[in-house]
Amino acid sequence: MVIVPLITTSLISGMASLDKNAYGKLGGKAVLYYMTTTFIAVILGIIVVTSIQPGRGADKDAIQREGSSQQVNTADAFLDLLRNMVPPNIVAACFESYKTRQVPDEIEPGMVTELMSNITGATVTMVMTTEDGITSLVNESVMTTKMPMMRYKSEGGFEDKTNVLGLVVFSCFFGAIIGRMGQQGEPLKIFFDTFMEAIMRLVSLIIWTSPVGIFFLIMGKILEMDDWQKTFQQIGLYSATVMTGLAIHAFIVLPLILFIFARKNPLRYLFGVAPALMTAFATASSSATLPITLQCLEENLNIDRRVTRFVLPIGATVNMDGTALYEAVAAIFIAQVNGLNMDAKDIVTISITATLASIGAAGVPQAGLVTMVIVLNAVGLPIDDITLIIVIDWFLDRCRTTINVWGDSIGAGIVYERSKDELQRLPDPFEDNDKFAIGYQTPNINNTHDDTTL
């Protein structure tokens, strides 16, 4: 209800309040922080999973599978990211986003041999579908047999999901243009500042009901579990590996970065954003947590609103430390379960792909499972084995979302501390509670004095 207006108004208001040099420096510092911490998270995940080796010796046939995997083309996934950055209709972007799907294209059994003879020099991904609905790659020696074959073709279209990335890009450009219009853009600045203030007051009312909602969200997920003991016996070591990596990143790496670059007490900072972290764990969504994160940083930690309203909406969209770490651990776990050894080339590929894929993960529940397919495809691992970890993903998704929000909050604090000099030289349009007083004075309608001599 409040995510879309909050993201758009906060970004437009934040960008409009900065000059072109200021938002360029703020944006550069934020992007540098996001890319650095995400890459550190991936490397940390690889170190933890290769040290613990949770999948070594595990019998994947004994692990309960749940859900299903999606066929994803890596090139299409990254192209969809670029397409969504420039939506054809900004209003429609509030309700839908573009996605390319892999649609089954069945081939008749008698056509298989003919097809193979006509694709010399071409690459065609062939997949065999069994009666159980499990798909697997079929090698060339089986291609000439008379059996049902399936291949996939790319088919693009819009789906019912908010295009947050497109809204972020549009809001950044729109806010920057308003800021450069000077007095001409002042009415629009006042409008979005007031709109933002109204949304924040609405959020304050919603926060009063959040403890009840958090309790029932978590209890509902716990009650959906059929057998806790069996689940943790099967993939308990994998879950512990992910949790270990997330804990090291949350309680050692990020606080150390905060202390070095912002000279802030990490424990005090943690208490300041605790309500946002609890909400992130309950909702498993960085975007849904954004209103509370803004309130925590601005009211509890006194972070400049020009920074929070510019940095946090972008961070909730592209900064996914926990997701990147999780994808690296899950990919190598699946390789270990299948008895495959990852060489240096595969490790580098996982590092780069997990970093880039996490940026494209939407700030919604279980978005990491979709981008996980990209990582598996990059190193040639079976994507069907994602079903091995879906059973516990609801819990790990909440943990990594909490780390994502914690990372966003620390990033805003670091950018603020490293940009104080630039911000002090700029007027703060938010410091006056009466937004309509900025640059305007209400005319005195009771003044009937007229200098004209009749």
Side-chain angles (χ1 to χ4, degrees):
M1 181 175 66
V2 297
I3 294 175
V4 170
L6 181 66
I7 290 176
T8 53
T9 57
S10 62
L11 273 174
I12 293 173
S13 179
M15 292 291 290
S17 65
L18 302 171
D19 62 18
K20 60 180 180 180
N21 294 324
Y23 60 66
K25 292 180 180 179
L26 286 180
K29 292 172 184 176
V31 170
L32 178 62
Y33 167 82
Y34 295 152
M35 296 301 296
T36 302
T37 55
T38 301
F39 192 70
I40 291 174
V42 171
I43 298 301
L44 177 60
I46 292 173
I47 293 173
V48 171
V49 73
T50 51
S51 301
I52 299 177
Q53 296 191 349
R56 191 66 63 192
D59 183 8
K60 73 174 184 178
D61 294 328
I63 301 176
Q64 178 185 356
R65 294 177 180 265
E66 185 173 303
S68 60
S69 59
Q70 298 182 17
Q71 293 290 336
V72 176
N73 184 287
T74 304
D76 286 335
F78 284 112
L79 288 175
D80 286 345
L81 193 65
L82 298 177
R83 294 186 188 102
N84 284 320
M85 290 177 66
V86 189
N89 188 322
I90 194 61
V91 176
C94 299
F95 309 99
E96 61 184 19
S97 58
Y98 191 89
K99 183 176 181 179
T100 303
R101 292 182 175 85
Q102 299 299 303
V103 181
D105 186 16
E106 189 171 353
I107 307 173
E108 295 295 333
M111 297 175 58
V112 174
T113 304
E114 181 181 357
L115 173 66
M116 290 301 298
S117 63
N118 291 332
I119 61 172
T120 303
T123 301
V124 177
T125 302
M126 302 296 294
V127 180
M128 180 178 70
T129 304
T130 65
E131 294 180 355
D132 297 329
I134 300 176
T135 60
S136 59
L137 295 176
V138 181
N139 56 40
E140 187 176 351
S141 61
V142 185
M143 286 297 185
T144 56
T145 60
K146 304 290 185 178
M147 58 192 310
M149 303 297 295
M150 191 79 71
R151 69 176 177 182
Y152 289 83
K153 62 180 180 180
S154 297
E155 187 174 283
F158 289 92
E159 62 176 356
D160 294 331
K161 186 172 70 174
T162 303
N163 181 6
V164 178
L165 185 61
L167 294 175
V168 166
V169 172
F170 170 81
S171 300
C172 286
F173 279 101
F174 191 61
I177 290 173
I178 292 175
R180 300 185 69 174
M181 289 175 65
Q183 287 298 318
Q184 283 184 315
E186 202 67 27
L188 279 176
K189 288 177 64 176
I190 293 172
F191 169 76
F192 284 109
D193 290 345
T194 309
F195 197 168
M196 176 69 185
E197 187 67 24
I199 293 295
M200 292 303 296
R201 294 189 183 187
L202 178 61
V203 168
S204 298
L205 297 176
I206 296 174
I207 289 176
W208 284 99
T209 63
S210 61
V212 178
I214 289 172
F215 173 78
F216 283 104
L217 279 171
I218 296 176
M219 288 302 298
K221 282 297 181 180
I222 292 175
L223 294 175
E224 287 179 5
M225 296 285 292
D226 294 329
D227 191 341
W228 269 87
Q229 184 178 2
K230 181 179 179 181
T231 299
F232 281 101
Q233 282 178 348
Q234 292 175 340
I235 55 174
L237 188 56
Y238 160 73
S239 303
T241 303
V242 175
M243 294 293 293
T244 301
L246 292 176
I248 294 173
H249 191 70
F251 297 114
I252 297 178
V253 176
L254 291 177
L256 191 61
I257 293 175
L258 177 66
F259 179 75
I260 292 174
F261 293 98
R263 297 297 177 183
K264 287 183 175 291
N265 185 343
L267 192 60
R268 178 182 175 274
Y269 208 88
L270 178 62
F271 285 131
V273 298
L277 300 182
M278 288 188 290
T279 305
F281 185 82
T283 61
S285 172
S286 301
S287 299
T289 312
L290 181 59
I292 301 174
T293 309
L294 283 165
Q295 188 177 58
C296 288
L297 292 183
E298 293 174 5
E299 297 182 4
N300 299 346
L301 298 173
N302 298 318
I303 305 296
D304 194 301
R305 284 176 286 184
R306 289 171 293 179
V307 175
T308 58
R309 299 182 185 190
F310 172 59
V311 173
L312 285 179
I314 298 176
T317 307
V318 302
N319 185 38
M320 303 289 176
D321 294 357
T323 302
L325 187 149
Y326 158 81
E327 289 177 348
V329 172
I332 298 179
F333 168 76
I334 290 174
Q336 293 173 353
V337 167
N338 286 277
L340 302 175
N341 294 319
M342 296 280 99
D343 55 20
K345 175 179 67 67
D346 294 326
I347 296 296
V348 172
T349 303
I350 290 174
S351 303
I352 297 174
T353 310
T355 302
L356 296 177
S358 66
I359 296 174
V364 296
Q366 294 188 327
L369 285 177
V370 178
T371 56
M372 182 72 209
V373 178
I374 300 174
V375 181
L376 296 181
N377 275 335
V379 290
L381 293 173
I383 61 175
D384 289 322
D385 284 349
I386 289 181
T387 56
L388 298 173
I389 60 177
I390 289 179
V391 66
I392 197 65
D393 187 72
W394 72 269
F395 177 74
L396 297 179
D397 187 24
R398 281 162 166 73
C399 295
R400 63 180 184 258
T401 301
T402 305
I403 305 305
N404 292 341
V405 173
W406 176 228
D408 295 344
S409 303
I410 289 180
I414 292 175
V415 171
Y416 169 61
E417 290 296 328
R418 310 299 293 187
S419 306
K420 278 187 174 180
D421 293 339
E422 292 91 340
L423 294 171
Q424 287 175 354
R425 292 194 293 266
L426 297 174
D428 185 359
F430 300 116
E431 63 185 1
D432 191 345
N433 291 329
D434 185 3
K435 298 295 189 294
F436 289 102
I438 302 176
Y440 287 89
Q441 293 182 350
T442 304
N444 186 0
I445 59 175
N446 295 321
N447 184 4
T448 57
H449 176 70
D450 190 349
D451 293 330
T452 306
T453 303
L454 297 177

